[in-house]
Amino acid sequence: DAKTTQPTSMDCAEGRAANLPCNHSTISGNEYVYWYRQIHSQGPQYIIHGLKNNETNEMASLIITEDRKSSTLILPHATLRDTAVYYCIVRVAGSGGSNYKLTFGKGTLLTVNP
Amino acid sequence: NAGVTQTPKFQVLKTGQSMTLQCAQDMNHEYMSWYRQDPGMGLRLIHYSVGAGITDQGEVPNGYNVSRSTTEDFPLRLLSAAPSQTSVYFCASVPQGSSGYTFGSGTRLTVV
């Protein structure tokens, strides 16, 4: 799986948009970009994923650059409960055991301030 | 759906003891895996399974055994607990395809 690079920490004001970057310059054509978050030692929570196109769900938006070498997770209106470590992970999606492995880095600690 | 259920939530073991961490999912997911998380670090893969009867090693498998007799259950066995196995253990499952994983709430294990 391709490696990802994320900032160690970021701050965001409550109610503002939080934009979390991720660099995955060695991503392969069949690798998806996934975002998870982990709130205070709870189990990681899936947020969103995408291959090429931008994606949006009830939690967040995912913007992937045209060359797919980087992406941004956007939390449109951050709340205090969004304070968490956010992980950007790339993996191939499909059959085959190795395709299901998730390789976690240290992620980005997002702190939402009142 | 209960999702992924892990038991126990907390456990203290003495060095050399053995125990089994339980993981069950009710979503009929083919793929299940175990991770450990040490303080200040990301999750590391211990073992995984792509279906009943099929298991394989992850990044840090030493000292752990797994089996997958049913789709629903994927227990993790510590053979002879060591202080280095003090960690938080997470079980996760995902169906085939590109969906995101569902993680359990974790088991916090301390080996003294």
Side-chain angles (χ1 to χ4, degrees):
Chain A
D1 289 346
K3 293 184 178 179
T4 62
T5 304
Q6 299 178 252
T8 302
S9 63
M10 296 182 65
D11 286 329
C12 177
E14 188 177 20
R16 304 297 294 271
N19 296 276
L20 290 89
C22 180
N23 183 291
H24 32 79
S25 59
T26 60
I27 193 170
S28 300
N30 60 349
E31 288 183 310
Y32 285 74
V33 180
Y34 290 80
W35 283 84
Y36 291 80
R37 73 181 182 182
Q38 188 173 27
I39 298 173
H40 191 53
S41 297
Q42 297 178 17
Q45 177 188 23
Y46 162 77
I47 301 172
I48 198 168
H49 74 282
L51 182 64
K52 296 180 182 178
N53 300 321
N54 298 337
E55 302 288 344
T56 296
N57 63 20
E58 65 279 3
M59 291 182 66
S61 295
L62 174 60
I63 307 298
I64 303 174
T65 58
E66 189 170 348
D67 63 8
R68 303 209 324 123
K69 293 184 177 182
S70 65
S71 61
T72 300
L73 178 74
I74 301 172
L75 308 178
H77 305 287
T79 71
L80 299 179
R81 288 177 294 181
D82 292 322
T83 292
V85 177
Y86 288 77
Y87 296 100
C88 170
I89 298 170
V90 296
R91 75 167 179 100
V92 175
S95 60
S98 62
N99 292 337
Y100 289 92
K101 295 179 181 179
L102 292 181
T103 301
F104 286 83
K106 293 189 176 181
T108 296
L109 173 60
L110 174 68
T111 302
V112 181
N113 300 305
Chain B
N1 287 347
V4 176
T5 303
Q6 291 185 237
T7 56
K9 294 189 181 302
F10 301 92
Q11 183 70 50
V12 178
L13 288 179
K14 293 182 178 179
T15 298
Q17 286 185 317
S18 63
M19 79 159 294
T20 300
L21 279 62
Q22 301 292 344
C23 176
Q25 52 94 6
D26 60 357
M27 299 170 285
N28 202 33
H29 287 174
E30 294 86 354
Y31 183 82
M32 297 184 74
S33 55
W34 277 100
Y35 291 83
R36 62 176 286 174
Q37 186 173 32
D38 300 317
M41 298 185 65
L43 282 72
R44 292 185 292 171
L45 181 65
I46 304 171
H47 284 286
Y48 64 97
S49 168
V50 299
I54 306 170
T55 64
D56 206 346
Q57 297 181 350
E59 179 185 358
V60 289
N62 292 340
Y64 307 95
N65 273 357
V66 292
S67 60
R68 184 96 179 269
S69 57
T70 67
T71 299
E72 294 79 16
D73 300 299
F74 190 44
L76 178 72
R77 281 182 286 276
L78 279 69
L79 308 174
S80 177
S84 60
Q85 294 179 303
T86 294
S87 190
V88 182
Y89 292 84
F90 292 103
C91 179
S93 72
V94 67
Q96 285 190 16
S98 64
S99 299
Y101 278 67
T102 299
F103 281 82
S105 58
T107 294
R108 285 150 182 79
L109 176 69
T110 301
V111 182
V112 298

